[in-house]
């Protein structure tokens, strides 16, 4: 049995970061799915472990953590001699650069991107796509039907992927107008930051230098959602260096595999969960870590709450 356990749903941005880091470092772990589609109230076992009902709990032997970026640091340091050796840097200067950009993500990228994801869930698919200058054009608020992934918990680093489309809700014109204002304001904030990234990536392959690190990794969950949506994709595509960087980081096999884990649980999975059964081991296909090192990555047995 793996000593590392991750409690949470892969659809959570917090959990998705940690899963990718574990894959990059080739750390065997057990994923205990806390079903984000049903909410934490139905899981008294989990609430005993995490009374605040946080989206993520991480256990490594006697250590328990709930902050995803702190967990990234822990994994990268403790398992430095296995998997991708560059996630936390190989020298003091490189590690200082990684920490600078990781803090930038936490303080300046995370909040506006999360709120954009939140607001987009309330806005109609007819929202004008952004022009090259980032201006979306005129828009008249109206009633629209949207998916239920606009859960308020996303403002607390919740869902990284789309929720099931079966549950629909009517959004009032007033609510839609509020979400449009939120979207436009946070888009401006994020575009200013992406302009800084564009300059930085003119001189470096990745944010902290020549190697993919946890500073890049931490951006993936919310950036992936924004790039996947035509209403916000242009922010990344219109910046040459940011676009190239995004293509590189999102194309890693580790992230592609995390995205497969974000699919809604099937009926058979639910049945296994009710019976307390363990899922089968799942393997990533052989892949490179960007430096020619072949590896086989493993997700240990999954359980469901």
């Amino acid at each position: 049995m793996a000593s590392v356990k991750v409690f949470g749903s892969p659809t959570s941005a917090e959990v998705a970061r940690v899963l990718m880091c574990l894959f990059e470092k080739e750390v065997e772990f057990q994923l205990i799915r806390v079903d984000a589609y049903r909410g934490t109230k139905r899981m008294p076992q989990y609430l005993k472990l995490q009374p605040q009902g946080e989206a993520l709990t991480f256990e490594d032997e006697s250590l328990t953590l709930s902050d995803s970026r702190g967990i990234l640091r822990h994994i990268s340091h403790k398992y430095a001699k296995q998997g991708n050796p560059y996630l936390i840097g190989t020298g003091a200067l490189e590690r200082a650069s990684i920490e600078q950009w990781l803090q930038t993500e936490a303080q300046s990228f995370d909040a506006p991107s999360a709120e954009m994801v939140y607001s987009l869930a309330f806005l109609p698919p007819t929202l004008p796509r952004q022009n090259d200058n980032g201006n979306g054009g005129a828009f008249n608020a109206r009633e629209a039907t949207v998916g239920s992934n606009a859960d308020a918990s996303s403002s607390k680093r919740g869902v990284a992927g789309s929720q099931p489309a079966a549950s629909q809700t009517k959004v009032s014109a007033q609510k839609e107008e509020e979400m449009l204002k939120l979207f436009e304001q946070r888009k401006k904030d994020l575009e200013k930051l992406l302009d800084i990234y564009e300059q930085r990536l003119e001189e470096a392959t990745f944010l902290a230098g020549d190697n993919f690190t946890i500073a890049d990794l931490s951006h993936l969950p919310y950036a992936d959602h924004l790039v996947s949506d035509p209403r916000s994709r242009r922010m990344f595509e219109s910046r040459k260096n940011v676009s190239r960087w995004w293509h590189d980081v999102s194309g890693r096999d580790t992230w592609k595999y995390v995205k497969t884990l974000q699919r809604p649980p099937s009926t058979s999975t639910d049945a296994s969960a009710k019976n307390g059964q363990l899922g089968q081991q799942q393997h990533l296909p052989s892949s490179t870590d960007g430096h020619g090192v072949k590896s086989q990555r493993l997700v240990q047995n999954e359980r469901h709450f």
Side-chain angles (χ1 to χ4, degrees):
M1 183 67 67
S3 63
V4 174
K5 297 179 181 179
V6 179
F7 296 79
S9 169
T11 59
S12 159
E14 303 287 329
V15 176
R17 288 189 188 103
V18 172
L19 295 181
M20 184 175 181
C21 188
L22 288 166
F23 290 139
E24 287 281 336
K25 296 303 294 179
E26 298 179 356
V27 178
E28 292 188 358
F29 66 98
Q30 186 178 18
L31 172 61
I32 297 90
R33 288 180 181 259
V34 179
D35 195 347
Y37 299 110
R38 299 182 182 177
T40 56
K41 289 184 179 180
R42 76 176 187 91
M43 297 169 288
Q45 308 101 310
Y46 180 70
L47 292 178
K48 288 179 181 178
L49 179 68
Q50 178 53 267
Q52 300 303 316
E54 297 289 346
L56 164 69
T57 297
F58 173 89
E59 287 187 343
D60 189 352
E61 297 179 339
S62 61
L63 178 67
T64 301
L65 300 170
S66 61
D67 173 68
S68 63
R69 295 171 192 83
I71 295 169
L72 301 186
R73 295 182 182 98
H74 166 78
I75 294 170
S76 300
H77 280 295
K78 180 173 180 178
Y79 301 97
K81 294 183 179 181
Q82 65 188 68
N84 186 341
Y86 302 102
L87 287 188
I88 200 66
T90 56
L93 289 177
E94 188 177 6
R95 288 177 178 173
S97 180
I98 291 170
E99 193 61 35
Q100 173 190 345
W101 289 103
L102 187 61
Q103 288 294 323
T104 298
E105 183 276 325
Q107 297 173 8
S108 302
F109 182 88
D110 188 60
S113 60
E115 291 186 26
M116 284 186 70
V117 170
Y118 173 53
S119 62
L120 281 169
F122 286 96
L123 295 172
T126 54
L127 182 68
R129 298 189 184 190
Q130 300 158 29
N131 299 325
D132 287 351
N133 61 4
N135 295 323
F139 177 78
N140 293 322
R142 58 179 176 80
E143 287 193 354
T145 302
V146 299
S148 64
N149 58 319
D151 189 279
S153 63
S154 65
S155 63
K156 292 189 68 177
R157 316 300 172 258
V159 176
S162 297
Q163 296 279 14
S167 178
Q168 301 280 313
T169 182
K170 275 287 186 181
V171 179
S172 68
Q174 180 180 358
K175 182 66 173 180
E176 190 175 295
E177 186 67 28
E178 291 175 0
M179 290 299 100
L180 180 61
K181 289 180 179 178
L182 176 64
F183 173 81
E184 293 294 345
Q185 180 56 57
R186 300 315 261 164
K187 179 168 70 74
K188 290 179 181 178
D189 295 339
L190 195 55
E191 285 181 330
K192 290 178 182 178
L193 181 64
L194 290 177
D195 285 340
I196 296 174
Y197 282 23
E198 179 72 5
Q199 295 177 15
R200 168 58 179 167
L201 293 168
E202 180 73 37
E203 59 191 37
T205 305
F206 298 99
L207 289 173
D210 295 330
N211 300 309
F212 174 83
T213 71
I214 58 174
D216 306 289
L217 185 158
S218 194
H219 288 77
L220 276 159
Y222 285 127
D224 186 84
H225 197 100
L226 293 174
V227 173
S228 298
D229 195 313
R231 296 167 294 178
S232 50
R233 180 183 304 147
R234 195 65 186 152
M235 289 191 304
F236 292 79
E237 290 184 339
S238 63
R239 293 168 172 83
K240 180 183 69 173
N241 298 316
V242 169
S243 179
R244 184 267 308 160
W245 167 78
W246 176 250
H247 179 270
D248 291 344
V249 299
S250 63
R252 298 181 74 85
D253 287 344
T254 48
W255 179 245
K256 292 178 181 178
Y257 191 63
V258 169
K259 291 184 69 173
T260 69
L261 298 178
Q262 294 176 342
R263 295 168 184 162
S266 65
T267 303
S268 59
T269 299
D270 284 341
S272 297
K274 290 179 181 178
N275 294 328
Q277 298 173 353
L278 297 179
Q280 295 182 345
Q281 291 182 341
Q282 302 179 52
H283 295 264
L284 272 173
S286 296
S287 59
T288 68
D289 63 2
H291 300 274
V293 181
K294 291 250 180 177
S295 60
Q296 185 82 8
R297 298 180 177 90
L298 167 69
V299 183
Q300 279 280 36
N301 295 323
E302 292 187 29
R303 284 170 46 206
H304 299 256
F305 275 168

